[in-house]
Amino acid sequence: GSLPLIESLFGILTNIRLSELSDMNRPALRRIQLEAPGTFAHTLQVRFLAEPAAEAIGANARLVSAGVLYHDLGKVLKPEYFVENQQDAQERHRRLRPSVSALLITAHVKDGIELAKEYRLPQQIIRFIPEHHGTTLVSYFFHTAREEAKNDAAQQPVQEAFFRYPGPKPQTRETAIVMLADTIEAATRTLENPSAARLAAYVHELIMEKMLDGQLDECNLTFRDLAMIEEAFLRVLVTRFHSRIRYPSQFESAAAPSDKT
């Protein structure tokens, strides 16, 4: 009975509290499931990547498991602008200027922090919301804006800082792991039937991009940690992209076009 008081006084999270925060029936998590189901599916995939990575380097896997569930909480306010929730999200953004689209995308961090405070989430969980993006560049809309600027001489030069998340960069190993897992989960979705070697090369490239962009400068991850995290990610991804045997009906449908010619 004294645990809530101890947690409040000393700013710590016990394993019991972390388990409570991971309960899928909590109001904030139920809201994500109902209002942004695609985001929730993405969240679970990021969790599957992040947990074994945290265990591999001796980080707090329970904290990662709980924190990752809330990292995209802010998307519930405008879920239709995120492609995992709506098939026509890209079409919506085509009707907007790249700068406006970037504002809509980056705003989910501020929205998430405000919602997390409304739901009275502890600060250790709230920090996952801004730090899992750090100050990374919203590259798609940044490059789109640059292309438009090239075709319009009257347009002001594109400021890269405007297309970056507000930060801060990850301050702990746990939030850094979620940043890497979030990036890799989203990026590898674009791959079709990749080989293990191709997955390994792509994951390494993505991690190096974050490091060279300075996103890991303020956490205490070592090169050895990064190698172990990369290995843990690959173990999960290889099982995710494993091949399956075709069913007889699939062979028949594949052969049908050639039968008609």
Side-chain angles (χ1 to χ4, degrees):
S2 62
L3 280 177
L5 179 61
I6 294 172
E7 290 176 348
S8 177
L9 287 175
F10 297 99
I12 60 174
L13 287 179
T14 62
N15 288 339
I16 294 174
R17 179 62 172 150
L18 289 171
S19 296
E20 290 174 351
L21 290 167
S22 300
D23 182 357
M24 297 300 176
N25 290 314
R26 292 188 66 85
L29 298 182
R30 287 295 297 165
R31 185 172 180 183
I32 300 173
Q33 293 175 58
L34 295 173
E35 298 182 26
T39 293
F40 188 71
H42 157 74
T43 294
L44 293 181
Q45 293 299 320
V46 175
R47 192 186 193 193
F48 292 149
L49 284 170
E51 281 184 341
E55 291 173 355
I57 66 169
N60 190 336
R62 287 180 181 268
L63 178 59
V64 168
S65 180
V68 74
L69 291 174
Y70 299 91
H71 80 286
D72 275 341
L73 176 60
K75 290 184 179 180
V76 299
L77 297 186
K78 296 182 182 70
E80 67 275 13
Y81 287 98
F82 296 91
V83 70
E84 69 264 26
N85 294 308
Q86 295 286 344
Q87 292 293 330
D88 65 345
Q90 291 182 335
E91 187 59 35
R92 288 174 182 270
H93 284 290
R94 287 194 186 99
R95 297 195 291 265
L96 302 172
R97 294 185 63 83
S99 57
V100 176
S101 291
L103 280 175
L104 286 168
I105 296 299
T106 57
H108 85 271
V109 168
K110 178 175 176 291
D111 293 339
I113 294 172
E114 292 176 355
L115 285 171
K117 290 178 179 178
E118 288 180 19
Y119 286 110
R120 298 184 178 180
L121 297 178
Q123 185 59 39
Q124 295 95 321
I125 298 297
I126 294 176
R127 72 191 312 170
F128 281 86
I129 297 173
E131 291 181 22
H132 88 275
H133 279 304
T135 59
T136 53
L137 183 68
V138 187
S139 57
Y140 179 84
F141 295 115
F142 172 66
H143 292 301
T144 302
R146 289 184 66 182
E147 289 300 316
E148 290 185 0
K150 288 180 182 178
N151 300 325
D152 186 356
Q155 188 170 325
Q156 294 293 325
V158 177
Q159 300 294 323
E160 182 178 309
F162 185 83
F163 289 84
R164 284 188 175 272
Y165 281 94
K169 296 175 182 179
Q171 303 295 302
T172 67
R173 296 192 298 172
E174 288 77 15
T175 55
I177 288 169
V178 173
M179 167 184 273
L180 296 174
D182 180 70
T183 298
I184 287 166
E185 198 285 325
T188 53
R189 279 179 177 273
T190 63
L191 301 176
E192 294 183 4
N193 300 321
S195 64
R198 187 181 172 199
L199 271 174
Y202 194 40
V203 168
H204 182 75
E205 178 185 345
L206 292 169
I207 291 176
M208 288 300 102
E209 282 181 2
K210 291 297 182 187
M211 187 184 71
L212 294 174
D213 191 36
Q215 298 304 315
L216 305 178
D217 288 353
E218 297 177 17
C219 64
N220 57 348
L221 286 178
T222 65
F223 284 111
R224 185 172 186 273
D225 289 337
L226 289 176
M228 295 172 71
I229 289 169
E230 184 177 324
E231 183 181 345
F233 286 163
L234 283 172
R235 284 199 302 269
V236 176
L237 290 171
V238 167
T239 59
R240 172 179 163 184
F241 286 98
H242 70 279
S243 60
R244 288 183 179 271
I245 298 174
R246 285 188 177 185
Y247 289 95
S249 59
Q250 292 177 304
F251 284 110
E252 292 172 5
S253 61
S258 62
D259 292 341
K260 295 178 181 178
T261 57

